[in-house]
Amino acid sequence: MGSKSLTSASAIFLVLLFGVFAVFLVYPVGYVLESAFYREGVFTLEFFRLMFTNPVHREAIINSTMLAITVTAVTTIIALPISFVMVRRDFPGKSLLNGLLLVPMVMPPFVGAVGMQQLLAKFGSVNLLLIKFGLMSPRDPFDWLGTGFWAVVLLSVLHLYPIMYLNVAAALANVDPSLEEAGRNMGASGLKLFRSVTFPLMLPGYFAGAIIVFIWAFTDLGTPLIFNYSRVVPVRIFEAVSDIHENPMGFALVVLVLAMTVVFFAISKKVLGSSNYQMMARGHVQGSSSALPRRWVPLVWVSMATVIGCALVPHASVVLSAIADTWFMTILPSSYTTVYIGRVFTHPLTLSSIRNSLFLSSLSTLVDIALGVTIAYFLARKRFIGRDVLDGLAMLPLALPGLVLAFGYVAAFSGSFLDIKRNPMPLLIIAYAIRRLPYMVRAAYAGLQQTSETLEEASLNLGAGPFRTLRRITLPLVFANIVAGSVLAFSFAMLEVSDSLILAAKEEFYPITKAIYAMSLRVADGPYVASAMGLLGMVLLATSLIVAGRFLGKRLGELFRA
Amino acid sequence: MVSVQLEGVTKTFGNARAVDRVTLNIGRGELFFLLGPSGCGKTTLLRMIAGFYQADEGRILFDGRDMTGVPPHKRNTGMVFQNYALWPHLSVAENVAYGLDVRKVPVTQKHERVMRALEMVRMDSLAGRSPNQLSGGQQQRVALARALVIEPEAVLLDEPLSNLDAKLRLEMREEIRRIHDELGLTMIYVTHDQKEALSMADRLAVMNRGRIEQTGAPREVYVTPENVFVAGFIGETNLFPGTLLPGRFSDEELQVDTPHGVLRVARKSSTAAPGRVSVSVRPEAISVRGTEEALSGGVLRGVVQSIIYLGDTEQYIVRLADGKPVRSVEANPARPRARTGQEVCLTFRSEDAIALPPDTSNGG
């Protein structure tokens, strides 16, 4: 007994929470599993055999795997040296660069892809620039987009290296400097020290980041769609949605993605679980960073600026496309206009999509606040059977690709009153909410952890009941965290890609992201209006991150780590 | 203001018995101390009185009213937390007013009572500040005012001074004692600092491993500890294991046979039965003498191993023939009594030596 035990009211809350997860997380995933393994009530592995023998599907699996491996490798190569310099060295302008490194995150890469088509087309800006300098023959321009593979890699890398950087930098910062000093004391240095001490110690953190990047790249739907690179698993799944009842191949592919995710996270649990280095040695050594020798400063600046510059090219291309009047056969647009930005607010499709997105995101954020704060409160303040299960369920959406969840929703709720063919709004709200719930839970949980329980006990002691204590003491103290979590939940819901593409079945229900996709397929002004919408989205997300950062300070980065 | 009775109170966490069959009677208006080493269960006991934990067995009564099942917010106790637990989003005055808001005290009366409570702890000039702008000592005072303002049935203090520096601690001791005497409150005060307890308490209970080892007034507990733990925890002591001889040496004295010779000890109510005992003698009761000026009575011989000069006192560590170190403290040391390496006699009055039940915990 004691203040940590459950009252009957909180027990009811808890049952409701588990109910929500059961219906909207466990059931859809279970439904997908069942459909993939059972055909007319009989267990079968037929679809999995087909998956690897059918050349189209086999190619898609190979392509997606190659894509994810390449993206993970390239982001590692970029993020590792940056992390070392940022964590271990001090130099002028470090905090400015640290902020700029994260800027590329403010746009979903598929929006960048819309703009990049203009740059990478046969007679796009890049080739025209090369032709101008005589580096390329105008009669034989290079096809950058090619199959689309490298274009997708490029966009994914430029979007994902900040995530990798955040994880690697955190892992590196957690390596107790005294352990390295011990290695140095034994005579190791340079590469030897890195290989034998530093790298093994930071491996769990690196692994966590690498898994996020790998799965993200493997399951990204928007970017391949825009570049018309259709022989990848996510696009196959997307196309399977339309004939979900006739062709069970979609289920098998979703199960493949799910299995891959589970295996990776199981491995990471093992890697992370078996290494309690941090617990073992928490020295009171502070600030292991040393000054960067002056002659190296320009080099560091130039290389970092190059990375950031490249990462911002898609953003720039979106901005240019949004305000370009005519942009044909020239490196930069020959004239500018605000017509397309205006059209965003007048075209019925875009206008209704903005309205839809605002409505959907607001509601899903409210759901997140209600669910997230309650879950965080239970996790931080109560002891009960099933605590670990609740924790796991709340964090599961981090690992569960949006693609899997959305596909599960379409399949599991078809024919019910939640069927997307009737009205996809309820499922869109729930999908957005579930997908962003981990951020909300983490933000609120962090706040509760930092708030000493004695502050609540002091209130109880002075005669305030549990609800008054919650209202007057607990909630005000974690308010900043709740605001930050809500801002993030809202803005990411506004720019959620795979859920929107799969679930929003009819044009009248399109959210912004699906409207951008639909627009980009139109000839004439389509890509320009799509870019203008992308620009608005970018501004929205950037503003949200700044607001959230104001409330959370340096802890903002923690939300994006594994 | 209430009296607080604990009847066989027990609390288990997992397999550990944090509080083990504690029975206590705390009178109205008493400043009562729970004293013990960390982990002895004293804070758990206090939190049970506040209602944050429920007893597994036994009852807690306020003025004879059974408190079992009464939630913390209905007990009307005023608790001062070790980390003060001031709400950072409320000002000093708002922190203090909180308990009155809950009790729906009218605004004018509320303001007056808040100011009176703050005056009581000399914090009235900082009423508008945020807790983050206060020093540790000031936060301590606000926490005290917040607990006092609701006119609680009992004030519970959980190591309230442990986060303050030594000088401030002395000041706050007097301050809390003064407030207690002015308001005549029932106060239950948890600490591991024996000086705090000895200097402030009306009565105190020494706790160890979840149990009460001894209860009594400070002087009583210090002079006549009932067992080796209490003797060692409150103040320092020298222990000489031996056998209590039957019969008595005189009306006030008994004899204990030890490896260092037969020692005469006081005959007191707490004295152990004949058989194995430990003789306890406080360092300040032992005098160091040159071998030539040795008197009769309890006499031990040894060689001075080290001398520590502390200004107001001087400590001698003397090694007996079998290697056992004995500590002696000389107050107001005008000149050294002996040199390191010198052979000396140690003397003490038999009334300063008591025979305790043998230490069963670690044989020392």
Side-chain angles (χ1 to χ4, degrees):
Chain A
M1 290 277 286
S3 61
K4 291 210 162 238
S5 64
L6 293 177
T7 61
S8 52
S10 51
I12 292 170
F13 263 113
L14 205 55
V15 170
L16 286 177
L17 280 178
F18 276 109
V20 169
F21 283 122
V23 176
F24 294 112
L25 196 57
V26 179
Y27 171 62
V29 173
Y31 187 92
V32 169
L33 283 174
E34 202 215 311
S35 307
F37 287 106
Y38 285 89
R39 194 66 178 161
E40 281 145 11
V42 183
F43 181 82
T44 172
L45 287 172
E46 178 64 14
F47 309 122
F48 294 92
R49 198 184 58 78
L50 268 179
M51 204 158 72
F52 293 103
T53 50
N54 178 318
V56 176
H57 291 128
R58 199 173 54 207
E59 195 194 338
I61 294 168
I62 292 170
N63 283 345
S64 281
T65 311
M66 288 307 295
L67 188 70
I69 291 174
T70 315
V71 169
T72 311
V74 179
T75 49
T76 304
I77 293 166
I78 295 174
L80 211 54
I82 294 180
S83 307
F84 256 89
V85 174
M86 295 302 276
V87 173
R88 293 291 167 82
R89 299 290 179 193
D90 288 322
F91 54 93
K94 178 171 155 176
S95 56
L96 176 69
L97 277 180
N98 197 29
L100 287 176
L101 278 170
L102 306 183
V103 168
M105 288 170 71
V106 301
M107 186 180 66
F110 97 101
V111 177
V114 176
M116 287 301 275
Q117 282 182 309
Q118 188 72 21
L119 259 57
L120 296 177
K122 272 205 174 158
F123 288 97
S125 307
V126 172
N127 280 355
L128 287 172
L129 203 65
L130 291 172
I131 291 165
K132 190 180 170 194
F133 287 110
L135 295 168
M136 189 181 283
S137 155
R139 269 163 301 159
D140 182 26
F142 185 74
D143 185 5
W144 293 99
L145 296 172
T147 57
F149 180 84
W150 289 105
V152 176
V153 168
L154 179 70
L155 263 296
S156 305
V157 165
L158 293 180
H159 179 68
L160 290 173
Y161 84 85
I163 304 240
M164 187 66 111
Y165 161 65
L166 283 173
N167 280 279
V168 174
L172 200 53
N174 277 339
V175 172
D176 188 332
S178 66
L179 294 178
E180 284 193 337
E181 282 159 14
R184 209 166 279 141
N185 177 254
M186 300 282 163
S189 68
L191 256 183
K192 167 80 184 155
L193 185 68
F194 178 78
R195 240 188 22 243
S196 59
V197 178
T198 317
F199 188 69
L201 286 176
M202 61 181 282
L203 197 58
Y206 164 72
F207 207 72
I211 286 174
I212 294 180
V213 169
F214 186 95
I215 291 176
W216 203 101
F218 194 99
T219 61
D220 181 27
L221 171 60
T223 319
L225 269 183
I226 296 285
F227 284 126
N228 214 358
Y229 182 53
S230 61
R231 298 218 162 157
V232 285
V233 172
V235 178
R236 293 281 121 206
I237 293 176
F238 180 57
E239 284 170 358
V241 171
S242 51
D243 58 350
I244 199 161
H245 299 293
E246 287 78 47
N247 181 2
M249 248 348 266
F251 290 102
L253 285 171
V254 170
V255 168
L256 174 79
V257 172
L258 197 59
M260 188 190 73
T261 317
V262 169
V263 167
F264 273 126
F265 276 88
I267 294 173
S268 85
K269 256 259 140 67
K270 219 171 152 69
V271 173
L272 294 173
S274 62
S275 50
N276 292 323
Y277 305 116
Q278 282 139 285
M279 306 256 197
M280 231 166 57
R282 227 187 234 303
H284 288 284
V285 191
Q286 273 210 332
S288 57
S289 57
S290 56
L292 187 73
R294 184 149 296 180
R295 64 203 151 87
W296 287 96
V297 174
L299 181 71
V300 166
W301 260 94
V302 168
S303 41
M304 295 248 195
T306 309
V307 170
I308 296 166
C310 288
L312 291 178
V313 167
H315 302 65
S317 69
V318 169
V319 175
L320 283 177
S321 302
I323 58 172
D325 183 16
T326 45
W327 193 359
F328 184 67
M329 297 294 281
T330 50
I331 295 167
L332 287 176
S334 39
S335 61
Y336 296 94
T337 176
T338 57
V339 165
Y340 301 116
I341 292 179
R343 205 161 292 170
V344 170
F345 297 102
T346 50
H347 193 287
L349 173 62
T350 57
L351 198 60
S352 78
S353 78
I354 291 173
R355 217 171 35 232
N356 285 340
S357 270
L358 285 173
F359 173 74
L360 293 167
S361 305
S362 307
L363 275 186
S364 74
T365 305
L366 287 179
V367 173
D368 272 342
I369 292 174
L371 289 180
V373 174
T374 317
I375 292 170
Y377 185 79
F378 274 112
L379 293 180
R381 292 288 191 263
K382 298 283 177 188
R383 287 214 189 95
F384 53 94
I385 300 164
R387 187 186 175 281
D388 292 342
V389 179
L390 185 66
D391 190 16
L393 285 173
M395 288 301 138
L396 186 62
L398 273 185
L400 198 65
L403 197 62
V404 172
L405 193 68
F407 189 88
Y409 279 8
V410 173
F413 297 113
S414 100
S416 78
F417 69 99
L418 288 171
D419 194 324
I420 56 162
K421 292 203 196 71
R422 274 190 222 200
N423 185 343
M425 292 294 214
L427 279 184
L428 274 169
I429 291 168
I430 294 164
Y432 287 175
I434 296 274
R435 290 269 293 147
R436 297 304 161 198
L437 188 59
Y439 294 102
M440 195 67 215
V441 173
R442 279 187 171 190
Y445 184 78
L448 287 168
Q449 285 278 292
Q450 282 149 10
T451 308
S452 167
E453 263 186 88
T454 55
L455 293 174
E456 288 159 18
E457 287 173 354
S459 167
L460 289 172
N461 176 254
L462 292 177
F467 279 103
R468 191 189 186 104
T469 301
L470 192 68
R471 190 167 51 81
R472 287 276 315 264
I473 305 295
T474 315
L475 288 181
L477 286 173
V478 298
F479 184 69
N481 289 64
I482 295 175
V483 171
S486 314
V487 169
L488 289 176
F490 178 80
S491 53
F492 282 111
M494 290 287 281
L495 297 175
E496 185 71 64
V497 181
S498 35
D499 301 348
S500 310
L501 290 184
I502 291 179
L503 290 174
K506 281 190 228 157
E507 217 167 75
E508 56 179 306
F509 300 120
Y510 280 7
I512 288 179
T513 39
K514 185 144 192 185
I516 292 177
Y517 173 60
M519 271 291 172
S520 73
L521 295 180
R522 293 189 190 198
V523 284
D525 68 344
Y528 298 110
V529 180
S531 295
M533 290 183 76
L535 176 60
L536 287 177
M538 213 150 57
V539 171
L540 173 86
L541 194 50
T543 317
S544 307
L545 284 173
I546 290 168
V547 171
R550 274 282 137 79
F551 278 99
L552 271 187
K554 287 197 159 178
R555 281 169 286 141
L556 181 64
E558 288 170 18
L559 293 180
F560 297 99
R561 278 189 230 127
Chain B
M1 186 195 342
V2 293
S3 64
V4 177
Q5 291 89 39
L6 284 76
E7 294 177 353
V9 171
T10 297
K11 179 76 192 170
T12 342
F13 293 118
N15 291 324
R17 278 212 160 176
V19 172
D20 193 1
R21 284 164 288 167
V22 166
T23 296
L24 272 180
N25 253 306
I26 299 163
R28 285 189 192 191
E30 199 170 22
L31 176 46
F32 191 91
F33 269 68
L34 291 170
L35 175 65
S38 58
C40 74
K42 55 191 191 299
T43 293
T44 306
L45 195 57
L46 192 76
R47 290 172 61 83
M48 288 168 86
I49 297 171
F52 294 126
Y53 300 138
Q54 291 285 337
D56 297 332
E57 286 166 39
R59 298 193 302 168
I60 294 171
L61 304 124
F62 286 6
D63 265 352
R65 278 174 289 131
D66 189 352
M67 286 287 124
T68 308
V70 178
H73 61 279
K74 297 205 172 122
R75 295 202 176 192
N76 199 25
T77 60
M79 184 143 170
V80 178
F81 292 82
Q82 187 174 8
N83 64 355
Y84 318 134
L86 296 181
W87 301 300
H89 63 301
L90 302 178
S91 73
V92 165
E94 284 167 339
N95 262 281
V96 177
Y98 186 87
L100 299 178
D101 285 337
V102 174
R103 285 166 179 72
K104 302 197 169 60
V105 173
V107 177
T108 49
Q109 207 188 330
K110 179 175 87 180
H111 185 74
E112 196 194 307
R113 278 172 71 177
V114 168
M115 287 320 284
R116 213 171 344 121
L118 286 173
E119 274 165 31
M120 180 75 120
V121 296
R122 299 176 188 146
M123 285 293 297
D124 43 316
S125 58
L126 300 178
R129 291 271 183 96
S130 147
N132 297 328
Q133 297 169 294
L134 303 181
S135 69
Q138 290 170 330
Q139 291 188 29
Q140 176 58 60
R141 285 161 191 269
V142 175
L144 195 57
R146 187 176 68 179
L148 293 174
V149 77
I150 59 168
E151 294 171 1
E153 309 260 40
V155 180
L156 311 176
L157 302 108
D158 184 9
E159 308 235 9
L161 307 185
S162 62
N163 289 338
L164 302 181
D165 63 54
K167 196 155 184 279
L168 208 52
R169 215 151 41 207
L170 289 180
E171 216 177 287
M172 283 305 292
R173 275 188 206 168
E174 283 173 32
E175 193 90 357
I176 292 173
R177 182 75 224 188
R178 171 182 66 83
I179 289 168
H180 170 266
D181 294 347
E182 258 174 56
L183 302 177
L185 290 160
T186 307
M187 278 189 173
I188 304 174
Y189 190 127
V190 160
T191 186
H192 64 266
D193 182 339
Q194 37 126 347
K195 291 222 167 101
E196 215 164 278
L198 290 176
S199 65
M200 295 171 71
D202 289 331
R203 281 196 311 143
L204 57 89
V206 182
M207 285 188 75
N208 184 33
R209 297 187 197 160
R211 296 194 190 196
I212 304 270
E213 298 277 359
Q214 188 173 356
T215 312
R219 188 179 299 272
E220 186 186 333
V221 174
Y222 187 82
V223 176
T224 52
E226 282 173 8
N227 57 43
V228 170
F229 175 81
V230 175
F233 186 76
I234 302 208
E236 284 183 71
T237 197
N238 296 293
L239 294 172
F240 304 95
T243 312
L244 183 63
L245 300 176
R248 48 179 116 140
F249 183 79
S250 68
D251 277 354
E252 290 88 31
E253 292 169 304
L254 301 172
Q255 286 177 298
V256 176
D257 186 23
T258 74
H260 317 287
V262 174
L263 302 178
R264 268 180 274 157
V265 303
R267 196 165 79 85
K268 288 184 175 148
S269 56
S270 62
T271 303
R276 303 227 21 101
V277 294
S278 279
V279 175
S280 159
V281 190
R282 302 252 183 230
E284 68 271 20
I286 298 178
S287 302
V288 175
R289 300 256 184 277
T291 42
E292 65 284 357
E293 39 175 334
L295 307 165
S296 57
V299 177
L300 299 164
R301 279 171 177 271
V303 174
V304 177
Q305 186 192 337
S306 63
I307 303 172
I308 304 159
Y309 179 68
L310 291 169
D312 57 340
T313 58
E314 193 158 31
Q315 287 189 22
Y316 293 84
I317 302 197
V318 176
R319 216 167 256 284
L320 304 184
D322 65 346
K324 181 183 173 62
V326 175
R327 191 180 292 266
S328 157
V329 173
E330 203 75 48
N332 194 16
R335 56 188 172 76
R337 293 255 175 202
R339 298 179 324 279
T340 309
Q342 189 185 332
E343 195 176 342
V344 293
C345 283
L346 298 171
T347 68
F348 51 88
R349 299 180 301 170
S350 59
E351 60 187 271
D352 290 328
I354 48 173
L356 302 172
D359 186 1
T360 48
S361 61
N362 49 27

